[in-house]
Amino acid sequence: AVAARLKEHKAEIVKRASDLAAKIDPNADPVTKAKAKIEATENAFAEVATRVSECPSKKNGGDLGFFPRIGVMVEGFSATAFSLE
């Protein structure tokens, strides 16, 4: 049940990000387009997180802010977060 809900939320984020990215000026330079696509994805995530998250970070659109590798988040989450590029 949880996995299915997460897949639904991911699909909603992807769709919303795509809708927002479609509004990007097609004549913009590649860097501007890339930045706008990132911003569209961040905005889509924030919209969904604000609505469906059960975490206190929902008031910030799901943004957890900066945190150290050890001592603040549960180890599994920290290990995963810090393994990303």
Side-chain angles (χ1 to χ4, degrees):
V2 173
R5 280 195 351 233
L6 289 173
K7 285 180 183 179
E8 289 174 13
H9 296 320
K10 180 181 177 184
E12 182 180 356
I13 291 166
V14 169
K15 170 78 169 87
R16 181 67 180 133
S18 177
D19 291 347
L20 291 170
K23 296 177 183 178
I24 298 169
D25 179 0
N27 298 317
D29 64 272
V31 172
T32 300
K33 285 181 184 179
K35 286 181 178 180
K37 286 180 182 181
I38 290 169
E39 184 177 331
T41 303
E42 290 172 347
N43 289 339
F45 180 88
E47 288 175 14
V48 174
T50 299
R51 194 178 72 251
V52 303
S53 179
E54 295 175 11
C55 179
S57 69
K58 77 185 282 174
K59 67 180 182 279
N60 299 325
D63 187 347
L64 299 173
F66 292 98
F67 54 89
R69 167 65 181 84
I70 297 172
V72 175
M73 301 292 182
V74 295
E75 177 53 28
F77 181 83
S78 287
T80 301
F82 279 83
S83 71
L84 300 173
E85 290 184 24

